[in-house]
Amino acid sequence: MRLSGHILLLNWSSSSTALLRQIASAYAEGGMFGNGAPWPWNNRPPVVVLADKRKAQMDEAVHEMLRDRGLQLEVHTREGNPFKMSDLRKVAASKASTIIVLHPDSASNTSNAEAIKASVVMCLTALGPQEDNQRVVVQMAAQVPEDQGVIHSLGVTSRLVGRSAIQSFELPDTQLMHRLIAQTAAQPGILSCWLDMLALANNSAQFYCTELPAVLAGKPYVEVRRAFAHAVACGYRLPTGPAILNPDDSAIPPSGSKLILLGRGGAANLLASPNSQLFTTAATAACDRLQRERTYKSKARNILVANWPLASIPELMEGFSLFTPANSTITFTLPGEPPGAWPTRLGSCRFNFICTDHPTSVKVLLEAGIKTADAVVLGSGAAGGGELEADARILAAVLQVQDAVIASKRRDAPHLVAPIRRYATSKLASHYLSVLAAEQLKAVTVQPALGAMAATVPAPAVVANALGTQLAVAAGGGGGSAAATATNMIAAASNSSGAMGVQLPAAATTLHGHLVNPVGLLTALVGGGQSAQQQQMAATQPSCQQQSVPQAAVLFEPEFLVPTDVTSALMTQVVSEPAYSDIMKALLFSSDGMEMYLRNPASFNIPTGVPISFAEVEEVVRLTKQTALGYIRGHGSGSQASSNAAKQRSVKDLHGSSKHQQRERTAVLGPAASHMVTFGEADRIVVLAQDFNL
């Protein structure tokens, strides 16, 4: 191939198309690569894939991904051996600007996969780079001690020939998923923060590593962090590599350290004048604020986990112990007997286990306490099958959870979290739940206009019943029938016109495919009386229009996590900023490191409805040994509309044909110190801290 400066992907894995999607999204959104340097529109390097896989299969997968997401990307696929020098020459490996070596799915075991990747990098080293500053990033699917890994040995020996740009990125996929699932169930909205930081877009917050300015050398960290008025200082990276997040204010960054900043617009624009008067004033106000008694206490969470694979439950339990408030209760409904070694208490969390043949049935969910659950986490069990069947089981469980919510007669719906394999699955869930919400909304907006609207929303109840039948089949059928049902459902969801004649607003997401926040669905609690005029109008309608839907709560903004999309986004960030690897290790994979949490402003004596500078927020949070990264808007923040007004939104709005503002969680990360914020009741401050319970 006559190419140079291109991106080269070696090996094929389940993350391949997700990684290509992240690159395409970064191009489309003007993403920041190379530590804040955007790729020009007319100079976006093509991507070449070399893998031991049939070219036709790779082409089909790439085409399907680009079509489903409406993206464009120049991709060249080549079938061959990534650790054969002649094949590497065919894809101009020595002239690539960036080479990403993926963990091969075709390997029979982890040891063989590591050997394949080492062989690939050996060939690359032997070829030698012709492109200046060529970087090689190697995906590690599991954590390997640094002095025991083959890739580590290869990196050491490669330096003998001047090849120092080989970087391995440890990415334990299952551990990452369990951490994110636990965080999302315990703290609704935290995933939105992660996605904003992982999106390679100009309007998203990014971590930057920048040299410590000479004027700040030898200064305590409190002076260093206050020198940045247009970004948030999160810590520093030692010359030897490890990231120190949320350091003590008295700590002095060693010579050669790089500062870790969270902000927008590129590292070159983030430095402000030291000793800003803004921070001095804010520090004084913060001290006065914390002198008052702090009475706020975090509420324990009640979380229900249904049909999670037995082998993965201990890792999920560890995640809950790290990210939930004290005295939270986690109840598992299991498809089998738990081992006797599983604890009933871990950290400050209590664990209950209910063993049953049908862990997502309505009866079991009611017995497990769905009536009072704050969140429900769904798994696909261990029934086997492919991606479609696993997602079909999740969809069937969503239907049963909704049924159990109705049966419990609770007046609000629990937060729903589930991992899925395919983006189309989320589209189906979006359509289905929107129909339920529209039907509930229709019950409280009995107007003559609804007769005309029926022409654009054909029989929502009929469609809901049909979907319910399909989902029930997927839940109880065998592998073949479940796969066929899932294929039909996901294909229907992929129809751009909407399988149910419903056009929805675009999914609320800051990172393509990672979090599917299907639609700002109304928690439709029907009720409230009608005026005499409304009753008279209703009496004149045909009897079929007078039939009301039973009062019920509809699942509100479920969060579906696509693990491969998150891992590919992390990998893309590492390509853009090498220091991301150490930052993510500290945030996601270190059991004794800093974590990201959401705090109620009241825990810092910050009242609602009163403007406050973010500099003061930073200072008051630092007094509690934490670092404020930004804040996240809760549902309905900034709106003075009453719940009645929310319930009376038009069906037209739910169909996406109007420009109403969805009540979505919005993350505001890395704001300027001068930024003024007025917190609402549902808003939370995003912090770095050692533990949830401080």
Side-chain angles (χ1 to χ4, degrees), residues 464-510:
N465 289 335
L467 276 174
T469 302
Q470 285 188 320
L471 289 167
V473 172
S481 62
T485 302
T487 303
N488 293 335
M489 291 189 295
I490 294 174
S494 300
N495 189 330
S496 60
S497 63
M500 293 167 284
V502 181
Q503 291 185 340
L504 300 175
T509 175
T510 56

Side-chain angles (χ1 to χ4, degrees), residues 85 141 171-172 188 202 292 300 304 339 419 440 551 571-572 612 661:
M85 294 183 67
L171 196 60
N202 283 330
R292 301 191 294 271
L304 197 164
Q440 289 292 287
Q551 298 186 8
M571 202 179 314
T572 310
I612 182 175
Q661 184 66 34

Side-chain angles (χ1 to χ4, degrees), residues 143-154:
Q143 289 178 306
V144 179
E146 185 175 351
D147 58 349
Q148 298 178 21
V150 176
I151 301 299
H152 170 73
S153 300
L154 185 60

Side-chain angles (χ1 to χ4, degrees), residues 195 506-517:
L195 302 185
T509 175
T510 56
L511 185 61
H512 293 274
H514 298 174
L515 165 67
V516 182
N517 216 352

Side-chain angles (χ1 to χ4, degrees), residues 430-431 434-435 438 456-458 460 495-504 654-656:
S430 171
H431 280 297
S434 69
V435 167
T456 60
V457 188
N495 189 330
S496 60
S497 63
M500 293 167 284
V502 181
Q503 291 185 340
L504 300 175
L654 282 176
H655 294 166

Side-chain angles (χ1 to χ4, degrees), residues 131-218:
E131 188 76 11
D132 292 339
N133 301 318
Q134 183 187 75
R135 294 186 58 239
V136 178
V137 178
V138 183
Q139 179 189 9
M140 308 290 288
Q143 289 178 306
V144 179
E146 185 175 351
D147 58 349
Q148 298 178 21
V150 176
I151 301 299
H152 170 73
S153 300
L154 185 60
V156 172
T157 56
S158 297
R159 295 189 187 101
L160 298 176
V161 294
R163 186 89 193 216
S164 59
I166 297 176
Q167 179 183 9
S168 62
F169 177 41
E170 295 174 354
L171 196 60
D173 294 358
T174 56
Q175 184 182 4
L176 172 65
M177 182 184 71
H178 292 141
R179 290 289 181 98
L180 290 179
I181 288 290
Q183 279 189 313
T184 305
Q187 304 175 86
I190 195 73
L191 196 53
S192 296
C193 300
W194 277 115
L195 302 185
D196 187 51
M197 291 188 294
L198 291 176
L200 281 169
N202 283 330
N203 62 346
S204 64
Q206 302 285 314
F207 282 114
Y208 298 98
C209 277
T210 184
E211 299 290 342
L212 180 68
V215 68
L216 297 176

Side-chain angles (χ1 to χ4, degrees), residues 343-620:
T344 57
R345 193 172 187 94
L346 191 62
S348 60
C349 277
R350 293 191 297 268
F351 295 97
N352 300 320
F353 304 100
I354 298 176
C355 302
T356 174
D357 292 334
H358 305 286
T360 60
S361 69
V362 175
K363 179 181 178 182
V364 171
L365 293 174
L366 289 171
E367 291 175 353
I370 198 171
K371 183 177 180 64
T372 58
D374 298 301
V376 176
V377 177
L378 295 177
S380 59
E387 290 183 348
L388 293 178
E389 287 138 309
D391 278 6
R393 292 193 294 272
I394 291 291
L395 289 171
V398 169
L399 178 69
Q400 291 177 301
V401 169
Q402 179 62 70
D403 191 1
V405 167
I406 295 172
S408 71
K409 298 182 180 181
R410 57 183 293 167
R411 291 191 57 80
D412 59 353
H415 179 219
L416 181 70
V417 181
I420 58 175
R421 309 289 184 87
R422 294 171 59 89
Y423 176 70
T425 303
S426 66
K427 295 172 67 176
L428 173 60
S430 171
H431 280 297
Y432 178 74
L433 293 175
S434 69
V435 167
L436 298 187
E439 193 70 12
Q440 289 292 287
L441 186 62
K442 181 179 176 182
V444 295
T445 54
V446 182
Q447 302 174 11
L450 282 177
M453 293 298 288
T456 60
V457 188
V462 174
V463 175
N465 289 335
L467 276 174
T469 302
Q470 285 188 320
L471 289 167
V473 172
S481 62
T485 302
T487 303
N488 293 335
M489 291 189 295
I490 294 174
S494 300
N495 189 330
S496 60
S497 63
M500 293 167 284
V502 181
Q503 291 185 340
L504 300 175
T509 175
T510 56
L511 185 61
H512 293 274
H514 298 174
L515 165 67
V516 182
N517 216 352
V519 66
L521 294 173
L522 172 65
T523 306
L525 309 177
V526 301
Q530 293 180 319
S531 65
Q533 183 180 6
Q534 288 174 318
Q535 293 175 5
Q536 184 177 2
M537 291 172 58
T540 64
Q541 302 297 317
S543 59
C544 62
Q545 293 188 21
Q546 295 183 38
Q547 296 177 1
S548 62
V549 177
Q551 298 186 8
V554 176
L555 293 172
F556 180 73
E557 288 195 347
E559 292 184 296
F560 295 107
L561 176 67
V562 186
T564 56
D565 282 358
V566 178
T567 56
S568 65
L570 282 170
M571 202 179 314
T572 310
Q573 285 284 9
V574 171
V575 172
S576 170
E577 170 56 79
Y580 249 82
S581 178
D582 294 317
I583 296 172
M584 290 302 108
K585 285 178 187 176
L587 282 176
L588 285 170
F589 304 122
S590 175
S591 59
D592 57 352
M594 295 294 162
E595 310 286 356
M596 194 161 62
Y597 299 103
L598 303 183
R599 305 289 195 206
N600 193 310
S603 63
F604 305 105
N605 286 340
I606 298 176
T608 58
V610 179
I612 182 175
S613 71
F614 192 72
E616 185 175 343
V617 174
E618 287 187 82
E619 292 299 322
V620 72

